[in-house]
Amino acid sequence: MSLARVHNFSISLDGFGTGEGQSRETPFGHAGERLHPWMFATRWWHENTGQPGGSSGLDDAFARRFLPNIGAEIMGAGKFGYPGWHENPDWKGWWGPNPPFHTPTFVLTHHPRPSIEMEGGTTFHFLDATPAEALATARKAAGDLDVRIGGGVSVLRDFLTARLIDHMHITVTPILLGRGERLWDGLEDLDQDYEIETVSSPSGVTHLTFTRR
Amino acid sequence: MSLARVHNFSISLDGFGTGEGQSRETPFGHAGERLHPWMFATRWWHENTGQPGGSSGLDDAFARRFLPNIGAEIMGAGKFGYPGWHENPDWKGWWGPNPPFHTPTFVLTHHPRPSIEMEGGTTFHFLDATPAEALATARKAAGDLDVRIGGGVSVLRDFLTARLIDHMHITVTPILLGRGERLWDGLEDLDQDYEIETVSSPSGVTHLTFTRR
């Protein structure tokens, strides 16, 4: 069965998946890059960005679960671009000509536009759809493979609220952002649907894995 | 130097230190006892409550740091009693004749009353004071020993906001309460004042220790 999976989704200790004040220059608002240093330090990230070295322990083991067996991604408009990107016909995402998804990638937006084929197997499709509808569409595109739910925060929360997530890897970075978008709002008793495993890393982050019971 | 310390303070994954709907029957509101099973399972708790057995690993090691070198506790009115306890002249706290504090214990309240001497070394004193004033008073009573800041949530947050905490042990229990009192609200960048260590326990909880830089 094709699973809906979340990987490498980082939140602060106070639960924010992004800071306040997102813009073209600051995709994560005032959080900057403070949520993700654990990932940038991994060998997996180094390999993907053409750098030597990188850590090869726990953080790396989690990070590289991002690609295997994934046949499509779903992301929100706020992950694909800065506020207002839909008014820019040339916007093709943050990631340059060869985005790291390498599959059909469905962008949820109220302003659909024609699909964009990128290098490396990523094609952006634009959908105005509910989470359940988007997941059905992405599953068809993924064949027998799984679908990654890529965020941002509100999209992940919508999928959790709709009880559509089968596997979720969240990383808690020990910083306090104070403001931004909270992941956990309105998800009382969500834990009862999952086996939750918690493991702290020498890097200081904590990896949480949620596996549907 | 006498430190202000926090021990065994449990919050949910979404940051709530107590649930909604606190009453004489439900001191933690709808959270019930779901925040603290890790503590009830320790050998330390079993010893203190006259039960055999109990775990003797990581959770127990953290739990039993509660008493050593502590000379006084400060707690809020909401930890000492149910909403409205100040109208009950017979209320002496939740803990029976021999409370687990065994030191002078200062209750912050806008309704002070005469001190109450309990068995086992605990004496409740009632103070209408700011966090800094209360800490100065408790330090005098503690002699050279440390002062425990016992909570609840709003008292701990007030002491953190006033930058008065030297050492803090927080336990994150992997449940989602959805509502109640959040510990981390309004504490942006608090992490920059502390070395933070994170360790996950086989019981499923995560222990966070904050040590002032």
Side-chain angles (χ1 to χ4, degrees):
Chain A
M1 184 200 146
S2 162
L3 303 178
R5 292 161 42 191
V6 175
H7 290 279
N8 301 346
F9 196 90
S10 297
I11 62 175
S12 63
L13 198 49
D14 46 355
F16 296 100
T18 186
E20 219 173 56
Q22 291 171 281
S23 71
R24 190 160 179 171
E25 292 70 39
T26 55
F28 287 89
H30 81 292
E33 299 194 330
R34 288 186 289 157
L35 287 167
H36 301 96
W38 72 270
M39 193 172 70
F40 302 143
T42 62
R43 183 168 295 256
W44 175 75
W45 186 267
H46 283 220
E47 286 166 6
N48 289 338
T49 53
Q51 307 170 69
S55 68
S56 60
L58 181 67
D59 294 344
D60 188 58
F62 272 111
R64 47 177 86 236
R65 300 183 64 189
F66 182 82
L67 275 182
N69 213 49
I70 293 286
E73 159 143 343
I74 297 170
M75 67 171 68
K79 176 171 172 180
F80 183 69
Y82 59 96
W85 64 263
H86 63 274
E87 291 169 356
N88 176 353
D90 297 327
W91 183 256
K92 297 178 179 179
W94 307 95
W95 304 276
N98 186 354
F101 309 109
H102 310 301
T103 65
T105 298
F106 295 88
V107 179
L108 295 173
T109 171
H110 297 308
H111 306 276
R113 56 174 64 185
S115 299
I116 307 173
E117 194 175 336
M118 310 291 289
E119 294 170 24
T122 300
T123 300
F124 292 117
H125 302 286
F126 299 86
L127 285 182
D128 190 355
T130 67
E133 291 164 358
L135 185 55
T137 300
R139 280 196 160 128
K140 267 185 215 155
D144 289 337
L145 301 180
D146 296 340
V147 174
R148 190 191 311 107
I149 309 302
V153 181
S154 62
V155 164
L156 178 48
R157 205 169 47 222
D158 288 347
F159 275 78
L160 287 168
T161 300
R163 299 295 194 259
L164 292 172
I165 303 290
D166 299 300
H167 170 90
M168 177 165 71
H169 165 231
I170 302 284
T171 301
V172 181
T173 299
I175 59 172
L176 289 160
L177 288 176
R179 53 210 164 92
E181 276 193 73
R182 277 190 218 274
L183 177 58
W184 300 125
D185 277 7
L187 294 174
E188 180 176 346
D189 290 340
L190 180 77
D191 52 286
Q192 297 183 12
D193 292 355
Y194 295 92
E195 294 291 338
I196 303 176
E197 192 181 301
T198 307
V199 59
S200 46
S201 164
S203 69
V205 303
T206 303
H207 298 280
L208 295 163
T209 42
F210 290 65
T211 307
R212 186 174 288 286
R213 292 182 198 277
Chain B
M1 185 199 144
S2 162
L3 302 178
R5 291 162 43 192
V6 175
H7 290 279
N8 301 346
F9 195 91
S10 297
I11 61 175
S12 62
L13 198 50
D14 46 354
F16 295 100
T18 186
E20 218 173 57
Q22 292 171 280
S23 70
R24 189 161 181 168
E25 292 70 40
T26 56
F28 287 88
H30 82 291
E33 299 193 332
R34 288 185 289 156
L35 287 167
H36 300 97
W38 71 272
M39 192 172 71
F40 302 144
T42 62
R43 183 167 295 254
W44 175 74
W45 186 267
H46 282 220
E47 286 166 7
N48 289 337
T49 52
Q51 306 170 69
S55 67
S56 60
L58 181 68
D59 294 345
D60 189 58
F62 272 110
R64 47 177 85 235
R65 300 184 63 189
F66 182 82
L67 275 182
N69 213 50
I70 293 285
E73 160 143 341
I74 297 170
M75 68 172 66
K79 176 171 172 180
F80 183 69
Y82 59 95
W85 65 263
H86 63 275
E87 291 169 356
N88 176 353
D90 297 327
W91 182 256
K92 297 177 176 179
W94 308 95
W95 303 277
N98 186 355
F101 309 109
H102 310 301
T103 65
T105 298
F106 296 88
V107 180
L108 294 173
T109 171
H110 298 309
H111 305 276
R113 57 173 63 184
S115 298
I116 308 173
E117 194 174 337
M118 309 291 288
E119 295 170 24
T122 300
T123 301
F124 291 117
H125 303 287
F126 300 86
L127 285 183
D128 191 354
T130 66
E133 292 164 357
L135 185 56
T137 300
R139 279 195 160 127
K140 267 185 214 156
D144 290 336
L145 301 180
D146 296 340
V147 175
R148 190 191 310 105
I149 309 302
V153 181
S154 62
V155 164
L156 178 48
R157 205 168 48 221
D158 288 347
F159 275 77
L160 287 168
T161 301
R163 299 295 193 260
L164 292 172
I165 302 291
D166 299 300
H167 170 90
M168 177 164 71
H169 165 231
I170 302 284
T171 301
V172 181
T173 299
I175 58 173
L176 289 160
L177 289 176
R179 53 206 163 94
E181 277 193 73
R182 276 191 219 273
L183 177 58
W184 300 123
D185 276 7
L187 294 173
E188 179 176 345
D189 289 341
L190 180 77
D191 52 286
Q192 297 184 12
D193 293 355
Y194 295 93
E195 294 290 338
I196 304 177
E197 192 181 300
T198 307
V199 59
S200 46
S201 164
S203 69
V205 303
T206 302
H207 298 280
L208 295 163
T209 44
F210 290 65
T211 307
R212 186 175 287 284
R213 289 182 200 277

